[in-house]
Amino acid sequence: MLRIAVASGKGGTGKTTLAVNLAALLADQGHGVRLLDADVEEPDCHLFLHPHDESSAPVDVLIPVVDDARCTACRVCADVCAFNAITVIGSSVLVFPELCHSCGACPLLCPESALHEESRTTGQVRRGTVDRPGASFELVTGVLTVGEAKPVPVTKAVRAAGEREGADVVLVDAPPGTSCPVIESVRGADLVVLVTEPTPFGLNDLRLAVEMVRALGLRAVVAINRAGVGDDRTLRYCEEEGLEVVLELPDDRRIAEAYSRGELLVDALPELRQLFESMWRRIVNAVTAQEVRP
Amino acid sequence: MEPRELVVISGKGGTGKTSVVAAFAALAGGAVLADCDVDAADLHLVLRPELGEPHDFSSRSCAVIEPDPCTGCGRCAEVCRFDAVSRSPDDEYSIDTIACEGCALCMRVCPADAIRMESVVNGVWMVSTTRFGPLVHARLGVAEDNSGKLVTHVRKEARATALREGLPLILADGAPGIGCPVIASLTGAHFVLAVTEPTVSGRHDLERVLQVVRGFRLPFAVLVNKADLNPELTEAVTADVLAQGALFARTVDYDPAVTAAQVAGVDVVTYGGRAAAAIEEAWNETARALAVTEEGDVSHA
């Protein structure tokens, strides 16, 4: 099973465009592909793929609950909580679920065994089927409940749901940035495709993303969206850093318009298919080259 | 005088949030600028500040296992819920510093007292100088938890700077998404401008982030960028947000000058063009709305 993560430092550079079009193309070519939408704060793949027969499973985190009959208000729970998620006022214990990291310290260390843990739902994992002419594939989507602050448990649940057997290729659409939810999305990938645009903002954030991928000991290639806008500093940077550019998607108003309507480029502008086909060949070569290296 | 704070957010990334903030900075005539997108801060690229002194930021600690006292009992690995403790083939335990969330449970249960917590520098922040006013900006360390604490710190410094320099306005460039950093950008702000684009994903992401904004009961307005890309959707989004209580909704048509300005390293107002004129109108309306929220804000008196 090949695991390819699609990420970017800057948001809005075309991660989702790349992921949904590549998934559709691979399904059309007869690959057993599964797409994981791990951008759980703003998951958008489904808008382009229209999955059907969706099932939904809650993502639960554990939070402490106090048994008042046993609690002596000794404050051990508040003292051991590294996240200020539990406090004692007078003789009552207050839990702030949105601050809790579910580390399990307070129930384990409470001398009166007055705390137990209960589930709290912070998101959903949806699984649906996407039909392509002659084939279909699975889309697994993580959705963080609006108002919830912590995406990582939902990201982990999407990965867990998506990485079972039954697919040759697992594509992961990661959130933007370089922090924890991104790490959870790209961890274990055979290759990370970093999507950028050739602008100063795009380049600045690409540098951060490359730094992140290298800190994780993973390998990256670059896909440039809106090629032709901006300047050539991004291409020069990739050359200097030895980063292969696997796709240059031109800056074309027809692409932007098709995207705005939620259309797949491989369908709306079939002449672009070959760009995605050649990108896939380069991705496979990059992974293979890595494997034969001593 | 209590400074007013405008936060510009977007839900979806890449809609032009930072370009709008830089343009507003040029139009505001004196404000403190706060870059709350600490995961991918870009405002400095167009405001080109004289950099201030960097300060380390630390908001978490990480466990460290001392090999000598460690007896290899494995209790730490048993209790860790973040898979942060690993055992080498020769039974040596160590901590994955990226996975560790700093809960310190392993330290507390270790029977040999072999674990200690070390504070981790996970960001850097500074107050720099731009021609439009002071810029408070930061950079979160790569692979760090964007818990919102650094965002909260940037906003706190921005407020202190505004009070110190007698500036009436804070312009904050918020983070994309709807999670911790966005919530940290919005808490206690006075007015929100959401920048979106007329695409199915822009609309979907805007809907989600506006639910967060409404949860905070903050007055908000919407700017639809690249509006001519899909006029029907622009109209639909505009109608949606006005029905949801937006104070106003303005549009800016696609203009290559926005990217050209970025390449030239200046804000789009200084660069000029059609979009600049439309953004200026949006600024005027935003400034009026901010003044109204101030009059109506009796609770702070």
Side-chain angles (χ1 to χ4, degrees):
Chain A
M1 189 162 68
L2 201 54
R3 289 184 188 79
I4 308 294
V6 185
S8 75
K10 181 173 166 6
T13 54
K15 271 184 316 296
T16 300
T17 300
L18 194 147
V20 295
N21 282 286
L22 183 57
L25 180 91
L26 292 178
D28 294 352
Q29 290 181 343
H31 292 279
V33 60
R34 188 182 293 131
L35 175 59
L36 315 188
D37 192 342
D39 187 357
V40 305
E41 292 182 45
E42 301 287 21
D44 287 340
C45 289
H46 65 104
L47 299 170
F48 298 85
L49 296 172
H50 312 289
H52 61 86
D53 289 325
E54 269 199 300
S55 66
S56 183
V59 177
D60 291 340
V61 297
L62 293 171
I63 53 156
V65 176
V66 188
D67 177 354
D68 289 329
R70 304 183 88 132
C71 177
T72 61
C74 72
R75 315 189 70 91
V76 167
C77 53
D79 292 344
V80 300
C81 180
F83 311 106
N84 302 315
I86 191 161
T87 188
V88 182
I89 297 171
S91 62
S92 45
V93 175
L94 277 180
V95 176
F96 302 99
E98 63 285 3
L99 296 177
C100 177
H101 284 227
S102 309
C103 70
C106 57
L108 188 68
L109 299 171
C110 173
E112 310 296 334
S113 301
L115 289 161
H116 67 279
E117 292 177 291
E118 286 181 9
S119 299
R120 171 171 173 271
T121 302
T122 62
Q124 305 286 325
V125 171
R126 294 187 188 144
R127 318 166 79 126
T129 306
V130 179
D131 287 333
R132 296 292 300 167
S136 63
F137 68 91
E138 190 183 21
L139 172 66
V140 183
T141 307
V143 185
L144 179 70
T145 304
V146 173
E148 289 294 336
K150 289 199 185 60
V152 170
V154 186
T155 316
K156 285 186 175 166
V158 176
R159 294 282 311 258
E163 299 215 343
R164 62 209 154 70
E165 289 310 302
D168 315 326
V169 182
V170 173
L171 291 176
V172 182
D173 186 10
T178 60
S179 62
C180 282
V182 187
I183 307 299
E184 280 307 324
S185 308
V186 305
R187 210 185 262 279
D190 296 304
L191 192 71
V192 183
V193 182
L194 295 174
V195 189
T196 189
E197 54 181 36
T199 61
F201 292 178
L203 176 56
N204 183 59
D205 300 348
L206 173 64
R207 286 177 197 273
L208 300 175
V210 169
E211 205 184 309
M212 168 203 70
V213 171
R214 288 181 177 161
L216 292 173
L218 300 174
R219 194 153 165 253
V221 293
V222 173
I224 298 179
N225 193 8
R226 299 182 68 212
V229 297
D231 53 28
D232 65 354
R233 280 180 274 182
T234 302
L235 276 175
R236 290 210 310 263
Y237 165 78
C238 291
E239 201 169 313
E240 282 159 21
E241 292 291 322
L243 292 161
E244 185 183 357
V245 177
V246 294
L247 174 76
E248 286 184 76
L249 197 59
D251 182 44
D252 182 335
R253 192 174 172 99
R254 292 174 310 153
I255 295 180
E257 286 178 357
Y259 172 83
S260 84
R261 294 188 292 263
E263 293 168 5
L264 289 177
L265 301 179
V266 292
D267 295 335
L269 299 164
E271 66 271 28
L272 295 174
R273 280 184 89 89
Q274 54 172 341
L275 280 179
F276 286 97
E277 282 163 8
S278 124
M279 171 177 74
W280 178 244
R281 282 195 298 273
R282 286 164 195 246
I283 288 173
V284 171
N285 286 342
V287 176
T288 321
Q290 189 176 7
E291 275 165 4
V292 297
R293 229 192 293 163
Chain B
M1 192 183 62
E2 186 66 22
R4 310 300 290 173
E5 188 170 356
L6 166 69
V7 181
V8 182
I9 53 161
S10 69
K12 181 178 183 322
T15 57
K17 183 170 53 65
T18 301
S19 295
V20 168
V21 172
F24 279 12
L27 293 162
V32 175
L33 312 164
D35 195 340
C36 296
D37 190 357
V38 298
D39 200 4
D42 286 335
L43 200 49
H44 64 282
L45 296 174
V46 279
L47 297 179
R48 292 198 286 186
E50 192 181 306
L51 293 181
E53 191 194 331
H55 303 275
D56 283 344
F57 179 78
S58 173
S59 67
R60 74 168 176 109
S61 56
C62 181
V64 180
I65 301 178
E66 299 288 358
D68 262 358
C70 174
T71 61
C73 73
R75 182 72 180 129
C76 49
E78 261 171 49
V79 298
C80 178
R81 292 202 177 160
F82 308 106
D83 292 328
V85 184
S86 56
R87 193 176 73 175
S88 69
D90 45 352
D91 273 1
E92 282 209 2
Y93 283 82
S94 62
I95 303 286
D96 175 343
T97 55
I98 291 179
C100 175
E101 295 196 11
C103 72
L105 181 54
C106 56
M107 176 196 79
R108 294 182 195 281
V109 301
C110 174
D113 280 333
I115 303 180
R116 63 191 161 79
M117 301 303 292
E118 259 183 16
S119 97
V120 178
V121 171
N122 53 355
V124 58
W125 63 271
M126 61 196 91
V127 184
S128 297
T129 310
T130 80
R131 61 199 178 106
F132 305 127
L135 167 67
V136 185
H137 52 146
R139 185 175 156 194
L140 188 74
V142 155
E144 284 294 338
D145 181 9
N146 196 348
S147 63
K149 286 182 182 141
L150 186 51
V151 174
T152 302
H153 190 77
V154 164
R155 289 185 57 212
K156 195 176 117 211
E157 289 297 329
R159 192 170 168 278
T161 305
L163 287 171
R164 195 169 56 239
E165 308 209 357
L167 290 163
L169 178 68
I170 298 166
L171 275 177
D173 188 0
I178 62 165
C180 320
V182 178
I183 290 170
S185 312
L186 293 173
T187 313
H190 299 101
F191 191 68
V192 177
L193 182 72
V195 181
T196 188
E197 59 182 29
T199 62
V200 291
S201 43
R203 182 186 198 177
H204 172 261
D205 296 357
L206 177 70
E207 245 163 53
R208 281 170 64 83
V209 81
L210 287 184
Q211 284 180 48
V212 177
V213 171
R214 291 206 307 272
F216 279 92
R217 300 177 189 283
L218 288 169
F220 67 97
V222 171
L223 186 70
V224 185
N225 196 8
K226 307 172 201 168
D228 55 332
L229 192 62
N230 189 327
E232 296 79 21
L233 203 47
T234 295
E235 214 167 286
V237 168
T238 305
D240 274 1
V241 299
L242 290 174
Q244 287 166 19
L247 292 188
F248 61 86
R250 303 224 44 131
T251 60
V252 177
D253 282 347
Y254 176 74
D255 181 355
V258 176
T259 302
Q262 200 192 107
V263 170
V266 293
D267 65 276
V268 68
V269 169
T270 303
Y271 193 86
R274 283 185 304 133
I279 290 174
E280 185 161 357
E281 283 176 32
W283 163 250
N284 292 336
E285 196 146 11
T286 304
R288 278 196 296 274
L290 267 167
V292 172
T293 62
E294 189 164 17
E295 284 161 21
D297 193 8
V298 286
S299 59
H300 280 259

